[in-house]
Amino acid sequence: MVPIVSGMAMGPAYQFRKLSFTVNELDYPIESIKAEIDRFRLACHKTLTLLSKTKELSSAVYDDQFLEIFESQIALLDDDIFLSEIEAHIRDKKSSAAMAVFTVFREKMDYFMGLKNEYFRERAMDIQDLKNKILHAIFGVGTEYQISVPSVIFADYLSPSDTVHFNRNLILGFVTDTGGRTSHAAIVARSLNLPYVINNQTLSKIVQADDFIILDAHAGHVIINPTEKTIGSYKKLKKKYTHIVLELKKESGLPTVTRDGIPIEIAANVEFLNELAEAQSCGAQGIGLFRTEGIFLEKEGLPDEEEQYHVYRRASEELKDQTVIIRSLDAGGDKILKELDHPVEQNPFLGWRAIRFCLDEREIFKTQLRAILRANINNNLKLMLPMVSSLREIQETKSVLDEVRLALKQEKIPFNPKIDLGIMIEIPSAALMSDVVAREVDFISFGTNDLTQYTLAVDRTNQKIAKYFNDLHPAVLRLMQLTIKNARALKKEISICGEMAANQEAIPILLGLGLRKLSMSPNAIPRIKKIIRMLNAAECEKFANRVVTLPSESEIQQEAKKFIEKTIANEDLLI
Ligand code: PEP
Ligand code: MG
C-alpha cells in the first residue's frame, strides 16, 4: 500500500468502473441462447428507462442539442431492425449478449466513423456511448461518476479527467490499484486535498458497494469493515492529525527564513480557482504553478477565450499583490482531453504533449495566450511553457505571442503586451542546454515529476516500476545543479514546482543546491515552511555538495533521511 496524498477518511466504498470492458469479460461462457436474449432485452429496457429519466432531468438544464443525443439513442433502442440484428448475432454465433452488443455496435460505429461528414462522425460517439450503457446494464454495474452519498472511491486506475468528473462534495478519498505518486490523478487528488493510496493489488475488485472503509493515507492502510473498536481508535487518530494540521497552519503566516537568515519564498501549485483561498490560508506567497488543464478537463468541449479570460483574471485579481505563474496547456501524456480527438499513441509521455501540442494546435494555443494577455491588466501574471526540449519551441512561442499581440491591438481589445515568459525544466535536453535556453526567457522552474520520468526513463504513472522513480537520483540532482549554476550566472530566477518540493527529505538538498523559491500543493506549505525555519542554509549547501557526488540514489536517500530526522527530532508537529 503506497500513501500518495496524506489524510484520513471513513465511509462507504464506491466501486468505480470505467465504461469499458476487456474481451475476456465480454466473451463469458453462456448458459443458453434464450437466457442471453432475455439478458439483452432486459438490459435494453433498463437503458431505455435510464435514458428517458436522464432526458427528463436534463431538459431543464441542457440545450436541445444534448437532448437530441438522448433522443437518437432512445430511437435506436426502439428500432426493431437493429435490435433483431443483435439477437440474430446471439443466435447464429451462440454469442454472449455482451459480445453481440459489442460486435454489432462496433460495426455500426466503424461505418459512421468512416463517413466524411463531421455530423455523422459525431453520431458514432453517441452510438459508442449507448453501447457502453447497454454493456453496463448487462453486467449490472452502475454508470460512472454517479455517487449518491459521500464515499471512498475504489478504482483500478483513475485518469485526471476521472478525478475531476466526480462530484467533489461526495468524495472522501481515493484508493486505486495502480497509478503513480506524480501521476496527474494524484496531483488532482492532492489539489482537492483528498486522501489517496495506491494498493498495488486488486482491492477495487474485492471491495463491495456497502462495505465500510477506513482509509488511512498517512500510514497507507485501507481497512474494510473494521470493528467498532478499530473505528474508535481511528477516530482518535483522525482528531490528532486534524489538530497537527491546524497547529501548523497557525504558523504558516510567519516569514520563511532559515536559521542563518536566508529568506525562502514558498508559492502554491493550483489547478482550480477554488484553491486560491486555500493557498492563501496556507501562507502561499503567490502561485508558482497554475495548471490550466483543469479548465479543459472539467467541461464538455474546449473552453473559449472568454471563459479562460475570466479564470485568469480572477486569479490575477484575487492575488493582486502577488505573482501568478500560469502554465500553458499541458495536454497529452495521461491528460487526454476527449474533445481534442487525441490519437492513441504508443508512448504518450514521449508524444504529442504540452508545448508540442500547442504549437501544432495554434488556434487552441492562441486562444489561451489571448486570454492570458487580456487578463494581465494588473501585471502580476507570468506565462510558463511546459515540456520545452529545445530553443526552437521558445522562439516559436515568442512569435505566436507577437501574432497574438498584433491581433489584439488591431481588434482594439485591451490587454497588457508585457508578460514575463518562463519555461519548465522537465526534459534532460533542456537542463543540459540551460545556458542557452535560459538566455531566452525571464525565469525557469524545475518540473521534477517529468524531469525524473524522462531522465530515468520511468513512466510516472506506472506503479510497477515506481521503485525506479526517485527524484533524489544523482542524475536528476546533477542536472538540477548544472541548471541552477547556469541560471544564476545569467541572473535568471529559478524555482521548483515538481512534487519534490513537498518532500521533506529533499528540502535540505534543494536549498543546498541554491534554490530560494519552492512551489507546492497548498496543504504541504505549512509543514515545509516549518521545516525550512529549522534548517541552516550554509549547512544545507555543504550537505548538498557532498550528496550529489554519491554514486547511488539509495545512498542519497539514506543520507537525506538521516539529515532531516536529525533536524526535526524533537518536533511533535512533524511526526
Ligand atoms: C512536473 O512535471 O514536475 C510538473 C510540475 O508538471 P506536471 O506534474 O503537471 O506534469
Ligand atoms: Mg510536468
Side-chain angles (χ1 to χ4, degrees):
M1 209 74 74
V2 188
I4 302 294
V5 183
S6 155
M8 282 186 72
M10 291 184 214
Y14 174 86
Q15 224 179 347
F16 171 65
R17 284 199 63 172
K18 293 226 26 122
L19 290 167
S20 63
F21 300 91
T22 64
V23 171
N24 281 349
E25 282 173 307
L26 297 173
D27 206 8
Y28 52 83
I30 65 168
E31 267 173 35
S32 73
I33 286 173
K34 182 178 175 307
E36 284 312 295
I37 290 183
D38 287 349
R39 198 171 183 184
F40 168 63
R41 286 187 184 157
L42 182 65
C44 287
H45 177 71
K46 280 189 190 163
T47 311
L48 196 59
T49 315
L50 176 81
L51 278 170
S52 311
K53 216 162 114 194
T54 314
K55 189 185 148 201
E56 199 183 301
L57 290 173
S58 311
S59 54
V61 187
Y62 293 123
D63 299 341
D64 290 351
Q65 168 200 355
F66 290 109
L67 298 181
E68 268 172 30
I69 298 173
F70 302 133
E71 274 157 16
S72 68
Q73 292 181 335
I74 289 171
L76 204 56
L77 281 174
D78 262 341
D79 180 348
D80 285 340
I81 299 175
F82 183 58
L83 299 186
S84 50
E85 213 179 307
I86 295 177
E87 292 187 10
H89 190 97
I90 298 176
R91 225 176 282 116
D92 300 346
K93 305 267 191 258
K94 299 188 178 39
S95 153
S96 69
M99 202 60 197
V101 167
F102 181 80
T103 314
V104 176
F105 267 86
R106 176 94 169 254
E107 283 163 11
K108 209 166 183 74
M109 266 163 52
D110 286 349
Y111 170 73
F112 277 107
M113 285 302 279
L115 298 176
K116 286 240 156 51
N117 185 308
E118 185 67 23
Y119 175 81
F120 287 118
R121 286 166 61 87
E122 277 176 19
R123 296 290 69 76
M125 299 315 295
D126 301 341
I127 291 170
Q128 167 158 302
D129 182 47
L130 179 61
K131 177 200 75 184
N132 287 331
K133 284 194 170 81
I134 300 176
L135 287 177
H136 258 244
I138 288 176
F139 288 107
V141 285
T143 46
E144 53 189 351
Y145 312 126
Q146 281 178 356
I147 325 172
S148 44
V149 291
S151 311
V152 177
I153 313 287
F154 283 76
D156 57 350
Y157 170 79
L158 286 172
S159 74
S161 77
D162 294 332
T163 22
V164 299
H165 277 111
F166 288 110
N167 177 346
R168 278 170 226 167
N169 301 325
L170 297 177
I171 315 174
L172 298 174
F174 292 114
V175 180
T176 61
D177 299 344
T178 58
R181 189 182 298 280
T182 60
S183 71
H184 287 103
I187 288 166
V188 175
R190 199 167 286 123
S191 71
L192 300 175
N193 218 350
L194 291 166
Y196 178 14
V197 302
I198 294 174
N199 67 77
N200 274 335
Q201 304 160 37
T202 50
L203 271 192
S204 71
K205 302 206 172 51
I206 294 163
V207 81
Q208 303 286 316
D210 46 3
D211 283 341
F212 186 83
I213 304 297
I214 291 180
L215 167 59
D216 176 358
H218 289 286
H221 293 146
V222 174
I223 307 172
I224 302 173
N225 296 326
T227 61
E228 283 302 320
K229 199 167 151 221
T230 311
I231 294 178
S233 52
Y234 269 90
K235 276 188 178 157
K236 275 193 209 135
L237 204 57
K238 193 165 182 235
K239 221 164 139 183
K240 183 174 158 198
Y241 286 134
T242 311
H243 167 76
I244 290 176
V245 169
L246 284 176
E247 288 304 305
L248 283 173
K249 230 170 161 175
K250 277 188 203 160
E251 298 176 8
S252 65
L254 301 175
T256 316
V257 180
T258 61
R259 282 198 288 116
D260 49 345
I262 307 291
I264 307 293
E265 196 180 328
I266 304 292
N269 295 350
V270 296
E271 186 153 5
F272 306 100
L273 280 177
N274 59 6
E275 289 175 86
L276 294 176
E278 174 69 4
Q280 296 285 285
S281 77
C282 289
Q285 297 159 281
I287 303 300
L289 168 64
F290 193 125
R291 290 185 170 94
T292 54
E293 297 77 59
I295 310 168
F296 286 74
L297 290 170
E298 256 183 331
K299 71 177 301 256
E300 297 279 333
L302 292 171
D304 63 21
E305 184 180 321
E306 283 312 299
E307 283 170 284
Q308 291 192 59
Y309 165 75
H310 286 296
V311 174
Y312 308 143
R313 182 98 182 99
R314 244 190 74 195
S316 159
E317 288 287 320
E318 273 191 42
L319 282 92
K320 236 190 188 91
D321 305 320
Q322 296 181 332
T323 301
V324 179
I325 299 181
I326 308 229
R327 181 176 72 182
S328 60
L329 180 64
D330 187 2
D334 60 344
K335 289 177 289 195
I336 300 296
L337 315 179
K338 286 191 200 108
E339 295 71 26
L340 300 179
D341 200 13
H342 216 100
V344 175
E345 296 180 283
Q346 295 273 13
N347 293 298
F349 275 114
L350 300 181
W352 200 39
R353 204 193 139 186
I355 191 67
R356 300 171 180 181
F357 171 87
C358 283
L359 288 172
D360 283 350
E361 294 288 330
R362 285 290 161 102
E363 288 314 309
I364 295 175
F365 195 25
K366 280 187 184 169
T367 303
Q368 182 169 42
L369 295 179
R370 283 171 66 100
I372 295 172
L373 292 184
R374 285 178 53 202
N376 192 23
I377 299 296
N378 298 334
N379 210 15
N380 63 338
L381 300 182
K382 293 185 181 188
L383 170 66
M384 180 160 73
L385 311 178
M387 215 191 154
V388 167
S389 63
S390 67
L391 193 59
R392 186 187 61 83
E393 293 133 346
I394 306 171
Q395 290 168 337
E396 263 190 61
T397 300
K398 282 185 172 177
S399 75
V400 179
L401 265 172
D402 283 341
E403 278 176 47
V404 167
R405 286 187 184 103
L406 188 65
L408 284 169
K409 200 169 158 200
Q410 283 169 349
E411 292 164 43
K412 296 194 172 36
I413 296 174
F415 72 103
N416 182 352
K418 283 205 245 97
I419 190 151
D420 274 3
L421 178 67
I423 54 166
M424 295 186 74
I425 297 287
E426 307 193 277
I427 301 187
S429 60
L432 292 167
M433 296 295 291
S434 49
D435 56 332
V436 175
V437 290
R439 254 179 243 280
E440 286 287 316
V441 293
D442 302 298
F443 66 96
I444 52 188
S445 184
F446 289 112
T448 44
N449 308 335
D450 278 317
L451 185 61
T452 308
Q453 155 167 270
Y454 295 127
T455 305
L456 306 179
V458 184
D459 179 340
R460 62 195 269 188
T461 63
N462 187 342
Q463 188 58 29
K464 212 169 174 71
I465 48 166
K467 62 173 184 279
Y468 293 98
F469 189 100
N470 193 334
D471 38 29
L472 290 175
H473 192 289
V476 177
L477 297 182
R478 286 180 194 202
L479 285 172
M480 293 178 76
Q481 189 179 41
L482 171 74
T483 309
I484 294 168
K485 188 179 120 241
N486 287 330
R488 281 181 149 185
L490 291 163
K491 298 197 170 29
K492 301 285 173 165
E493 180 191 289
I494 179 145
S495 62
I496 172 173
C497 60
E499 300 301 305
M500 187 183 189
N503 172 5
Q504 62 182 32
E505 285 168 16
I507 300 296
I509 299 178
L510 297 177
L511 300 195
L513 289 176
L515 288 173
R516 296 294 177 257
K517 178 175 176 180
L518 319 179
S519 189
M520 62 200 71
S521 60
N523 56 11
I525 292 177
R527 181 185 182 81
I528 297 297
K529 279 191 162 188
K530 186 163 183 86
I531 289 173
I532 292 175
R533 288 187 207 108
M534 301 168 93
L535 291 168
N536 178 303
E539 278 171 20
C540 290
E541 191 174 334
K542 260 197 250 155
F543 175 65
N545 285 337
R546 182 169 65 80
V547 295
V548 280
T549 64
L550 292 174
S552 71
E553 63 275 31
S554 56
E555 281 161 272
I556 300 177
Q557 184 94 52
Q558 250 175 20
E559 292 287 322
K561 193 163 186 293
K562 254 199 296 187
F563 191 98
I564 202 70
E565 278 176 357
K566 211 170 92 200
T567 308
I568 63 175
N570 300 317
E571 184 47 68
D572 289 349
L573 296 178
L574 298 172
I575 47 163

